[in-house]
């Protein structure tokens, strides 16, 4: 292979690695949002609400 070809391969590998890291980060954010939502919803459900009827 020539140097430009090797350079292109290296560039593609770097891009693929960055895309993979980005996707992993997005998945982590999604998982954390879902966990936060579930925890917040559980906390809201635990709160005793005062009765509106006498």
């Amino acid at each position: 292979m020539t140097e430009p070809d090797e350079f292109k391969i290296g560039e593609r590998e770097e891009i693929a690695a960055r895309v993979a890291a980005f996707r992993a980060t997005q998945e982590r954010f999604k998982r954390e949002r879902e966990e936060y939502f579930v925890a917040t919803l559980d906390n809201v459900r635990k709160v005793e609400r005062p009765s509106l009827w006498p």
Side-chain angles (χ1 to χ4, degrees):
M1 269 194 236
T2 64
E3 268 190 51
D5 290 337
E6 290 174 7
F7 180 75
K8 288 178 186 177
I9 291 172
E11 288 283 315
R12 287 186 182 126
E13 289 174 353
E14 181 182 352
I15 291 169
R18 288 183 181 206
V19 169
F22 177 79
R23 285 185 178 153
T25 301
Q26 293 302 308
E27 285 296 321
R28 181 175 56 93
F29 287 160
K30 179 181 176 185
R31 188 173 54 251
E32 289 174 356
R33 277 193 308 271
E34 290 171 354
E35 289 170 359
Y36 177 79
F37 171 77
V38 169
T40 302
L41 194 59
D42 285 345
N43 288 337
V44 168
R45 289 179 176 162
K46 290 178 188 175
V47 174
E48 290 198 28
R49 295 176 191 93
S51 175
L52 298 175
W53 303 102

